[in-house]
Amino acid sequence: DAKTTQPTSMDCAEGRAANLPCNHSTISGNEYVYWYRQIHSQGPQYIIHGLKNNETNEMASLIITEDRKSSTLILPHATLRDTAVYYCIVRVANTGTASKLTFGTGTRLQVTL
Amino acid sequence: DVKVTQSSRYLVKRTGEKVFLECVQDMDHENMFWYRQDPGLGLRLIYFSYDVKMKEKGDIPEGYSVSREKKERFSLILESASTNQTSMYLCASSPLRTGSHGYTFGSGTRLTVV
C-alpha cells in the first residue's frame, strides 16, 4: 500500500471548515483513499473513502486532486466533538481477501471555541 | 447498530501470565483484525483472520497468538505477558469485499502488565 504524509497537528475554530490535507504521491491506479478518525480513548471510526471523484457524505467531503497524488478531507462546520486524530490511508479495496489497513500517525485536529 | 465488542475495557495482568483478549462482532464479517496502539507509534497490526480457523501474521506478531473458532469471535492470546506488551489493543472487522463501511473497530482494551 502507498505511503501517506499528513501534518502532525492542526487547529480549527468551532463552526469553521476544517481542511485536512494528505499527500499520497505514490498511489497506484487501483488504490482508494480512506479516511478514519479516532476520538480519544475510542477505536478508529470510518469517515469516507474515494477513488478519483470527489465524495460527500453526512460526515465530511473528500476532495482528490486530478493526479490523485493528494487529497483533502473537509469537515464543513467543525464542532468540539470533531477533535480527534485523523488518519489518511490508501489501499486497494474490494480485493476479495483480508487486505489490511496500515495506519500512519495521522493529524491531530484540535477544535477550539 | 453494528458492533465490535471487546470483552474488557481495562485489564491488569502480571508478568508471565497467559492473557486472553476477546473480540466479538455481530455483522457476519469474514475478516477480523487485532492491532495495538502505542504513543508515537500509531496502530500496528498484530494478526488478522479472513475465515474461521484461518490466520495471518501482521507486522508485529511476536509474543502473540490468535484463535478463530467461530466466525464472530477472534481472540488474541499473550502466551506469557511481558511489560512491553502494555498497550491499547484494538479489534476490528470488515466484510470480505470492503465497501463503503470499511473497517469497524471496537472501543479497545487497555492492558497493563505489571
Side-chain angles (χ1 to χ4, degrees):
Chain A
D1 292 337
K3 183 175 177 172
T4 62
T5 304
Q6 299 177 253
T8 303
S9 63
M10 294 182 64
D11 292 331
C12 179
E14 190 176 33
R16 306 297 291 268
N19 298 290
L20 293 92
C22 179
N23 285 320
H24 31 79
S25 58
T26 60
I27 192 169
S28 300
N30 62 347
E31 287 183 313
Y32 286 68
V33 180
Y34 284 79
W35 283 84
Y36 285 75
R37 74 179 183 184
Q38 187 174 24
I39 295 170
H40 183 62
S41 297
Q42 296 182 23
Q45 174 192 24
Y46 166 83
I47 301 173
I48 198 167
H49 78 293
L51 183 62
K52 52 184 177 181
N53 298 321
N54 298 337
E55 302 288 344
T56 295
N57 63 20
E58 64 279 3
M59 290 182 69
S61 295
L62 175 60
I63 309 298
I64 302 174
T65 57
E66 194 169 336
D67 63 8
R68 303 210 322 123
K69 294 185 177 182
S70 65
S71 60
T72 301
L73 179 75
I74 301 172
L75 309 177
H77 305 287
T79 71
L80 295 177
R81 286 180 294 182
D82 292 321
T83 293
V85 177
Y86 288 77
Y87 297 98
C88 168
I89 301 162
V90 293
R91 64 179 280 268
V92 177
N94 298 327
T95 62
T97 61
S99 78
K100 57 189 183 181
L101 282 178
T102 300
F103 288 79
T105 51
T107 296
R108 184 172 298 277
L109 175 68
Q110 180 68 53
V111 180
T112 57
L113 290 171
Chain B
D1 196 17
V2 294
K3 273 189 178 173
V4 174
T5 303
Q6 295 184 229
S7 55
S8 303
R9 191 81 173 94
Y10 298 95
L11 211 53
V12 180
K13 294 292 181 180
R14 295 193 180 276
T15 300
E17 275 194 78
K18 189 169 186 176
V19 181
F20 293 86
L21 302 184
E22 305 288 347
C23 176
V24 177
Q25 51 98 359
D26 63 1
M27 297 164 282
D28 200 36
H29 283 170
E30 289 80 7
N31 303 329
M32 296 188 75
F33 306 81
W34 275 106
Y35 288 83
R36 66 177 280 178
Q37 184 171 28
D38 302 287
L41 296 177
L43 282 84
R44 293 179 291 168
L45 181 64
I46 305 171
Y47 266 98
F48 62 101
S49 167
Y50 53 88
D51 200 355
V52 174
K53 297 192 185 295
M54 305 302 289
K55 61 184 179 184
E56 295 278 348
K57 291 180 180 179
D59 300 316
I60 51 162
E62 297 78 19
Y64 303 94
S65 62
V66 290
S67 172
R68 192 157 181 210
E69 296 296 319
K70 294 184 178 181
K71 190 176 184 180
E72 67 271 18
R73 186 180 297 270
F74 192 37
S75 302
L76 179 69
I77 303 158
L78 287 65
E79 296 290 343
S80 177
S82 64
T83 55
N84 63 13
Q85 292 179 309
T86 291
S87 186
M88 168 70 88
Y89 289 88
L90 290 157
C91 175
S93 73
S94 75
L96 187 63
R97 293 185 183 277
T98 307
S100 61
H101 295 291
Y103 285 32
T104 302
F105 281 83
S107 297
T109 296
R110 187 166 292 281
L111 172 68
T112 301
V113 182
V114 297

